[in-house]
Amino acid sequence: METAFARTEQLLGICFAVGGGRNWRALLFLGSKWARSAMFPLFFLAFMIPLPEAAVDFLENASKEASAEVANWLFFLTGTSFLRTGTLFQLPGITITVAKECSGIRSSLVLVITSLLAANMFLRTTWRRALLVGAVIPLGLLRNGLRILVISLLCVHIGPEMINSVIHRRGGPVFFALSLVPLFAMLWLFRRQELKRQDETARTISTVNRS
């Protein structure tokens, strides 16, 4: 644990040192505009740094608890009979426990990276970028809750053996792809709003210049 933390701290220092050095050189020789444009790629270096085990453990537990809460509401909305004790759900014919492996931390991290890239490439307003990236948290939890619901219903209506089915063991990419649909829908809507606003501004300027 101590060695891993020291390694993480060392990598963090290297990234900041390299990034900081490049920023200062860019600011001095290429100007502040170029330096600002380089900030995002340099910021992305942070994703090279592995999180400390304590942080990973905390995030996994928090995601597990929140995913169980989302699954609880989905069971309720679908009219599924169940009894809940913490992260344990007693369903007709089977008992399911939401484990750390159900937290989906890695796929959520990929979702964060995807949203950051999309926001930086296609959006211009800060608040729309923040909304797109912030939407990753509820989308990730909804994805986890939906996966728990689907596997649970398969176990109830088909048989308990579905707990060892492909959709449980290898179904992560499918549910990840489903979580991309509302994310890209939000991106399309925000992009459309920005383009419309730009067109309106351009028309206004054109009208003023003609006057």
Side-chain angles (χ1 to χ4, degrees):
M1 170 76 81
E2 201 169 306
T3 306
F5 182 78
R7 185 184 175 191
T8 300
E9 192 176 34
Q10 185 180 12
L11 285 171
L12 185 62
I14 291 172
C15 285
F16 276 117
V18 172
R22 288 180 179 177
N23 275 340
W24 277 109
R25 287 196 295 273
L27 187 62
L28 289 173
F29 298 105
L30 298 175
S32 59
K33 185 177 180 180
W34 189 94
R36 283 196 300 271
S37 68
M39 281 298 294
F40 184 78
L42 291 174
F43 164 76
F44 242 68
L45 287 173
F47 288 106
M48 297 172 57
I49 305 168
L51 289 173
E53 290 182 19
V56 173
D57 189 62
F58 171 79
L59 290 173
E60 285 181 342
N61 281 321
S63 181
K64 178 186 71 173
E65 296 288 341
S67 298
E69 192 63 37
V70 173
N72 183 86
W73 280 102
L74 291 177
F75 283 136
F76 177 76
L77 291 173
T78 55
T80 305
S81 300
F82 71 97
L83 290 175
R84 179 187 175 191
T85 305
T87 58
L88 186 145
F89 292 89
Q90 293 179 344
L91 301 160
I94 192 170
T95 298
I96 289 179
T97 301
V98 181
K100 276 187 178 183
E101 291 77 12
C102 303
S103 64
I105 287 298
R106 289 176 180 81
S107 57
S108 294
L109 179 60
V110 175
L111 204 60
V112 168
I113 293 172
T114 303
S115 66
L116 283 169
L117 284 172
N120 185 69
M121 290 175 64
F122 299 108
L123 300 178
R124 294 293 171 263
T125 51
T126 303
W127 70 269
R128 286 190 178 93
R129 287 178 172 178
L131 274 180
L132 187 71
V133 176
V136 165
I137 296 175
L139 282 178
L141 295 177
L142 183 60
R143 177 202 62 222
N144 292 345
L146 181 62
R147 188 177 182 185
I148 295 167
L149 174 71
V150 169
I151 294 168
S152 300
L153 292 180
L154 288 174
C155 291
V156 170
H157 295 290
I158 297 178
E161 66 275 6
M162 293 302 296
I163 196 68
N164 296 314
S165 64
V166 175
I167 197 168
H168 184 204
R169 301 300 180 188
R170 297 287 184 267
V174 175
F175 290 94
F176 174 77
L178 288 175
S179 66
L180 289 176
V181 174
L183 184 71
F184 287 146
M186 284 185 63
L187 175 63
W188 175 81
L189 178 63
F190 288 162
R191 177 67 174 168
R192 186 180 179 184
Q193 289 174 345
E194 287 192 347
L195 290 175
K196 185 178 179 181
R197 188 68 176 269
Q198 288 175 9
D199 289 342
E200 290 175 352
T201 303
R203 287 197 208 97
T204 303
I205 293 174
S206 178
T207 303
V208 170
N209 289 338
R210 287 175 185 176
S211 302

